[in-house]
Amino acid sequence: MTLLLFGASGFIGRAVLNQLALLEVERIICVRRELTGMEPCPNDKVEWQALDILKPDLSQLNRLIEESDTVINCTGELENAATMTEINLGFVKRLTALLKASTKAHRFIQLSSVGCYGAVHFYRGQAKHITEASAERPAGLYESSKTQADDFIREQIAEQIDEQIDEQTAHLSYTIIRPTNVFGQGMKSQALLSLANMIRARRFFFIGPRTAVSTYIEVNDVARLFALCITRPEASKNQVFIASNDCLQTELVESIAAYHQVSPPSLRLPERPIRALSRLLNRLPIGFPLNQSRIDSLTSQVEFSHEKAEQALGFKPEQPVPVQILSFLEQHSNRRTNETNTIENTPQ
């Protein structure tokens, strides 16, 4: 089996590559815009090729697809609005078209996001259990572009149409993986580390309900779900899976406080006045840290279920997030120490 992996140099893609390298496959072809010689290469199954997904050489892209059995897309643009739609949606459309044009059997595994459900914002103030069958209500450009890509895949790659096998797509199947907030070493987002720093500095306070949920999942758990989808193709055929490891916010906060050896925060303020204060102060150029989106996250009672992935594939996160966060913070601390020592010992 040959795997074609896009986004292998990214945060999640790198973890996926490490998991795929453990599988009994012949080749893992990884793609990035420019090769530097510093690309991750877990073993001799892995090879790298240069390809710009924004302006791909279609003959090269088609050749790579024809050489592979499974195409895995871990690309995604979260920050740059100028390229977000093209990377998150346009590239998926291009891949899907080439897969449909091929006569070879292929699987297409797509990294998406639970942001497709828009649940944290839509169900503000409500306790809600989200599954793969929940309504999709994307709120922002990133979420909308990912949802459109998922919908396009499902529309174009179907097992049956009107109870008849579609000859154009009979050789294709898809799997879509939607993780919650992914954390781990090398992540770009600083939100979780900012939370930890606030707790350590004793500046964190709870807002709203005691039943608030933290929706995080460790990056290696997400990567293991990709591997399970590859090793169990029939169970994951034409399916969407949520990857989650939710916990109560109080459990996460208490674990972080214990790591930093400080007392867990006890102050809890009502949500409505904090929202009003946020609206007022965010009109001023003072850098108030709490905006409405952040308050949504801190007060959300929405939980995401990984029950479908567990039943179909045997997927379970290795440990609860309040336990995993301890290892994450320790590794982060060690890395910062090593970086500081390297700078201090570098000759000036």
Side-chain angles (χ1 to χ4, degrees):
M1 178 188 292
T2 296
L3 310 178
L4 174 57
L5 175 60
F6 296 94
S9 59
F11 167 51
I12 298 177
R14 187 184 295 251
V16 170
L17 173 58
N18 289 334
Q19 283 292 323
L20 301 185
L22 301 175
L23 302 180
E24 294 183 3
V25 297
E26 296 175 8
R27 298 170 69 198
I28 304 174
I29 306 170
C30 300
V31 173
R32 70 180 307 182
R33 183 174 59 187
E34 295 178 355
L35 301 185
T36 64
M38 301 297 290
E39 289 75 26
C41 200
N43 55 36
D44 57 8
K45 301 174 187 176
V46 178
E47 60 186 80
W48 285 83
Q49 297 201 26
L51 180 74
D52 185 351
I53 65 171
L54 283 174
K55 299 178 181 178
D57 179 334
L58 292 181
S59 62
Q60 181 189 8
L61 180 57
N62 188 61
R63 176 179 59 80
L64 293 176
I65 288 174
E66 290 299 322
E67 291 178 7
S68 67
D69 303 290
T70 298
V71 176
I72 305 157
N73 181 31
C74 288
T75 64
E77 178 56 59
L78 292 115
E79 299 173 355
N80 187 352
T83 59
M84 196 175 292
T85 299
E86 179 56 31
I87 291 175
N88 296 347
L89 176 59
F91 181 58
V92 169
K93 288 185 173 182
R94 194 172 291 119
L95 276 180
T96 304
L98 291 174
L99 287 166
K100 287 186 69 173
S102 173
T103 58
K104 183 178 179 179
H106 281 101
R107 300 189 63 214
F108 185 18
I109 303 179
Q110 161 81 350
L111 174 64
S112 185
S113 167
V114 295
C116 295
Y117 302 106
V120 171
H121 175 74
F122 186 83
Y123 293 110
R124 180 186 290 176
Q126 302 178 52
K128 199 70 177 178
H129 185 77
I130 301 298
T131 70
E132 291 80 358
S134 297
E136 295 175 352
R137 298 184 178 94
L141 180 57
Y142 171 77
E143 292 82 1
S144 296
S145 59
K146 278 293 188 181
T147 305
Q148 291 173 48
D150 294 355
D151 290 345
F152 186 83
I153 291 169
R154 287 180 287 191
E155 290 167 1
Q156 296 294 312
I157 304 176
E159 184 179 13
Q160 292 185 349
I161 295 181
D162 294 332
E163 300 182 354
Q164 298 294 321
I165 297 296
D166 180 5
E167 293 182 1
Q168 272 195 302
T169 59
H171 62 297
L172 295 178
S173 65
Y174 69 82
T175 305
I176 296 170
I177 296 176
R178 291 176 167 175
T180 53
N181 296 301
V182 184
F183 75 96
Q185 299 305 312
M187 66 181 185
K188 287 185 177 181
S189 172
Q190 297 297 302
L192 189 53
L193 290 172
S194 296
L195 172 66
N197 288 335
M198 291 284 287
I199 294 169
R200 180 178 61 180
R202 297 182 174 88
R203 297 205 307 266
F204 177 85
F205 55 87
F206 294 105
I207 303 172
R210 297 181 181 277
T211 51
V213 177
S214 290
T215 56
Y216 289 99
I217 185 166
E218 208 272 334
V219 66
N220 291 306
D221 284 328
V222 177
R224 287 192 304 104
L225 181 53
F226 274 84
L228 286 170
C229 289
I230 290 171
T231 57
R232 301 194 62 181
E234 287 303 315
S236 59
K237 183 177 180 180
N238 296 343
Q239 298 295 325
V240 177
F241 294 110
I242 289 175
S244 63
N245 194 13
D246 299 351
C247 66
L248 286 174
Q249 183 187 90
T250 52
E251 296 173 345
L252 177 63
V253 170
E254 288 170 1
S255 183
I256 294 173
Y259 172 81
H260 287 302
Q261 298 180 336
V262 298
S263 300
S266 57
L267 178 63
R268 184 177 296 274
L269 300 180
E271 180 179 345
R272 291 183 66 181
I274 295 297
R275 285 195 181 276
L277 181 64
S278 170
R279 292 189 186 97
L280 175 63
L281 294 182
N282 275 297
R283 296 173 183 170
L284 306 175
I286 61 173
F288 187 65
L290 284 177
N291 56 28
Q292 296 301 306
S293 177
R294 185 65 180 145
I295 296 173
D296 284 348
S297 177
L298 290 171
T299 60
S300 174
Q301 300 175 75
V302 172
E303 58 180 6
F304 295 89
S305 172
H306 67 256
E307 183 178 353
K308 179 180 176 181
E310 182 174 354
Q311 291 181 349
L313 304 171
F315 168 74
K316 270 189 176 182
E318 287 193 338
Q319 293 178 308
V321 164
V323 175
Q324 292 176 324
I325 197 67
L326 301 177
S327 175
F328 168 72
L329 293 173
E330 184 67 22
Q331 290 175 28
H332 177 73
S333 175
N334 291 339
R335 182 170 63 82
R336 291 289 298 272
T337 300
N338 291 337
E339 290 174 352
T340 301
N341 291 339
T342 299
I343 294 172
E344 292 176 349
N345 294 328
T346 300
Q348 301 296 318

